[in-house]
Amino acid sequence: MSQTDPSNMSRRQQMVETYKLTKQSDPKIGLILAAVFVVVAAVAGAIFWLLPGEGVFSWIFTIVGALLAGLLAAMIVFSRRAQKVMYSRLEGQVGGGYAALTMLRRGWTVTQAVGVEPRSQTLVHRVVGPPGVVLVGEGNSPSKVRSLLASTKRTHARVLGEVPITTVVAGNGDDEVPLPQLTKHVTKLGRNVAGPEITDIINRLKAVDATRGTLPIPKGPVPTSMKGMRGNLRGR
């Protein structure tokens, strides 16, 4: 397994790597975080100091509270700016949609490139979760993306029967979903299947995957999974 895959890193390594990547596109991130920390800590310290209490306990409570408030504010700002940078780096990259989908929480199963058209660098990824099956297409040619989505949907429908299958096109065009909004869009597709049904769907899809074999993913800078960094990007 690659040592550069975020999912193989420790939490500290993930934080450091996320900061380095963010700083490349946002050089002032360090100064911004320091300013946020100082301002919020100062305001929080003043508020805590005005609360009833005196003596050593009051001092400790004020200092600790101010530091925690400043740290929390800095982490929130860092999370938002890092997320913006990460998504901007994915724009236009082969497999950027898949990298974004790995940010989904537990309860979702994401499979990369269940449909591929190498010449046009068109990909279809599959998500299994509460909405049923969601096929997400991405590529440079909207018509080829929709064509590949349609054929991939037919292949899956033959195995899944009445299971709901939704198609989504990742992109910035009309009727497309931008990468920063992709996971939110998928999670808002509703709850059409329950937990045991999801397990059954995954098992039935193994037949589709077995007949598909290994598809040739288009050459290009395919992004690694963002799954290991998603806690950092959400400020946790």
Side-chain angles (χ1 to χ4, degrees), residues 14 45 75 106 116 120 134 156-157 168 218-219 224 226 229:
Q14 290 172 18
M75 286 300 297
R106 290 182 180 180
V116 175
S120 61
V134 182
H156 281 67
V168 176
K219 294 181 180 180
T224 59
M226 293 172 66
M229 288 186 182

Side-chain angles (χ1 to χ4, degrees), residues 30-158:
L31 293 175
I32 292 172
L33 295 180
V36 169
F37 175 82
V38 171
V39 171
V40 174
V43 173
I47 294 174
F48 288 135
W49 180 251
L50 294 175
L51 294 176
E54 58 183 20
V56 176
F57 176 78
S58 179
W59 274 102
I60 295 176
F61 180 77
T62 298
I63 294 173
V64 173
L67 292 176
L68 290 178
L71 181 61
L72 177 61
M75 286 300 297
I76 292 174
V77 172
F78 173 62
S79 172
R80 292 178 178 176
R81 296 182 78 96
Q83 191 173 60
K84 182 178 180 180
V85 168
M86 292 299 174
Y87 280 122
S88 68
R89 292 171 67 92
L90 293 177
E91 289 285 352
Q93 290 197 45
V94 178
Y98 168 73
L101 289 170
T102 60
M103 295 289 285
L104 287 165
R105 297 172 181 267
R106 290 182 180 180
W108 300 82
T109 301
V110 182
T111 304
Q112 182 182 24
V114 297
V116 175
E117 207 296 297
R119 287 188 177 181
S120 61
Q121 294 193 326
T122 302
L123 299 172
V124 172
H125 313 294
R126 183 179 67 216
V127 181
V128 181
V133 174
V134 182
L135 298 176
V136 180
E138 61 173 324
N140 298 322
S141 171
S143 61
K144 291 184 178 180
V145 171
R146 296 184 189 281
S147 176
L148 185 59
L149 273 173
S151 63
T152 305
K153 182 177 180 178
R154 288 194 296 270
T155 301
H156 281 67
R158 285 195 289 267

Side-chain angles (χ1 to χ4, degrees), residues 5-19:
D5 189 333
S7 60
N8 300 329
M9 300 178 184
S10 66
R11 185 60 182 273
R12 183 185 65 80
Q13 289 174 320
Q14 290 172 18
M15 289 291 292
V16 172
E17 188 65 22
T18 303
Y19 179 81

